[in-house]
């Protein structure tokens, strides 16, 4: 079923977004026709995942142009609206990259910009399928060629987080198609449970055996020898291989290093930001403290407590066994750095 999922889809003069805040209870789609609505959808995580919000941003340029025509905006107002979309979430580099790619095409007309946005979406799905094959080949060669694998993943990196197929979950899907997945441990992924709500939902629809586990259980599962490899996505990858991903990822990487098993990052080259030298230069989004102080809108912490809610953390490149992109596999911890090989 997830092969048919489109987290972001252009139709008519607007976008349809799968409302990922409603899953797994309901599969709802939200119609978006204004810049305000798109920015709100990105910030509320109606649409999320670096490649998916990149595609949404690409179409958002066209959305802004249409709204400018309807409401009589001048060029300054149009560019300000596009900038709001571009800055809606600061950590994931794909959003800015895709907006910047489509914006110049507006000078050739709205249809040219829309064609470029469609190209962004098509290219992402092709890239996902390519990295799925590269990642699966690498794991079979380096871990096991004769038995199904026990895998761990964090957050959601499937069709819901991309233009289609998935990044880290795309590798899992490719392995499953080859009959090479024994089980997947899906971290629940606090505080908004993208793992238990979204990844598990996709795994269930694919018929892939899986367990949902608390984030705090991941290190123990790895150190007990119950995992052959961990595969995660990324929101921004620095030139030295430092990787920003959903908060909780660095703990998985540390456990993998201690256990001596591969820690893979699967992401398209659009997620690699060669202008960012290291993880120290990546801006980490701090989200509303209520996401950790409340549950279902009900306060669960003492009234005097404050919430610290970073949306991401940074895994040092020395802990990244391999980076899988649509171009192939870089063994980052062994010295194959994105800044040298993807420039």
């Amino acid at each position: 079923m997830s092969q048919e999922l489109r987290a972001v889809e252009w139709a008519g003069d607007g976008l349809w977004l799968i409302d990922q805040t409603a899953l797994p209870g309901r599969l709802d789609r939200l119609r978006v026709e204004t810049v305000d609505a798109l920015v709100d959808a990105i910030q509320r995580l109606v649409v999320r995942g670096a490649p998916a919000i990149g595609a949404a941003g690409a179409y958002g340029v066209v959305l802004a142009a249409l709204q400018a025509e309807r409401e009589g905006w001048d060029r300054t107002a149009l560019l300000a609206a596009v900038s709001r979309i571009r800055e809606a979430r600061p950590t994931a580099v794909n959003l800015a990259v895709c907006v910047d790619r489509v914006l110049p095409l507006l000078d050739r007309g709205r249809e040219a910009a829309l064609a470029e946005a469609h190209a962004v979406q098509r290219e992402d799905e092709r890239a996902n399928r390519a990295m799925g094959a590269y990642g699966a080949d690498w794991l079979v060669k380096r871990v096991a060629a004769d038995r199904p694998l026990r895998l761990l993943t964090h957050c959601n990196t499937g069709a819901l987080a991309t233009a289609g197929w998935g990044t880290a979950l795309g590798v899992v899907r490719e392995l499953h198609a080859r009959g090479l997945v024994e089980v997947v441990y899906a971290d629940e992924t606090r505080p908004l449970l993208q793992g238990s709500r979204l990844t598990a939902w996709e795994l269930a629809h694919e018929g892939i055996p899986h367990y949902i586990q608390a984030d705090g259980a991941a290190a123990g599962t790895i150190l007990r020898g119950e995992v052959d490899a961990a595969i995660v996505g990324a929101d921004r990858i620095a030139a030295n291989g430092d990787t920003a991903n959903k908060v909780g990822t660095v703990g998985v990487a540390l456990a993998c290093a201690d256990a001596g098993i591969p820690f893979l990052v699967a992401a398209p080259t659009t997620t690699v930001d060669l202008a960012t030298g290291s993880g120290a230069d990546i801006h980490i989004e701090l989200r509303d403290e209520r996401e950790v102080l409340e549950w279902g809108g009900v306060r669960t912490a003492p009234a005097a407590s404050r919430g610290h809610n970073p949306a991401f953390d940074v895994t040092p490149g020395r802990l990244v066994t391999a980076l899988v992109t649509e171009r192939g596999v870089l063994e980052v911890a062994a010295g194959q750095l994105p800044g040298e090989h993807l420039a």
Side-chain angles (χ1 to χ4, degrees), residues 11 59 130 143 146 163 250 306 308 310:
Y59 286 120
V143 180
D146 58 349
V250 69
R306 297 175 61 192
H308 179 57

Side-chain angles (χ1 to χ4, degrees), residues 103-124:
L103 181 58
L105 274 295
L106 279 182
D107 293 335
R108 302 185 198 172
R110 179 161 41 81
E111 289 304 315
L114 181 58
E116 192 70 8
H118 286 322
V120 166
Q121 192 164 39
R122 287 195 306 272
E123 290 168 16
D124 182 62

Side-chain angles (χ1 to χ4, degrees), residues 13 51 145 179 184 329:
D13 289 337
V184 177
V329 180

Side-chain angles (χ1 to χ4, degrees), residues 247-338:
V247 67
T249 300
V250 69
V252 172
L254 287 164
C256 287
D258 191 83
I261 67 169
F263 174 82
L264 272 68
V265 174
T269 52
T270 52
T271 303
V272 179
D273 182 9
L274 298 180
T276 297
S278 75
D281 302 317
I282 297 175
H283 174 73
I284 299 298
E285 175 188 358
L286 285 175
R287 292 184 59 80
D288 193 319
E289 65 176 6
R290 288 176 295 179
E291 291 179 349
V292 295
L293 298 177
E294 298 178 356
W295 185 254
V298 178
R299 180 97 179 185
T300 56
S305 297
R306 297 175 61 192
H308 179 57
N309 188 20
F312 306 93
D313 56 28
V314 175
T315 298
R318 59 185 167 79
L319 299 177
V320 178
T321 313
L323 166 62
V324 184
T325 76
E326 73 275 20
R327 299 187 192 177
V329 180
L330 294 180
E331 297 188 358
V332 177
Q336 296 181 340
L337 304 183

Side-chain angles (χ1 to χ4, degrees), residues 65-88:
L66 284 164
Q67 189 172 355
E69 292 174 14
R70 291 196 306 268
E71 300 182 10
W73 296 351
D74 60 17
R75 178 76 174 179
T76 299
L78 171 60
L79 293 178
V82 171
S83 180
R84 287 182 57 217
I85 296 170
R86 188 183 188 277
E87 302 299 326

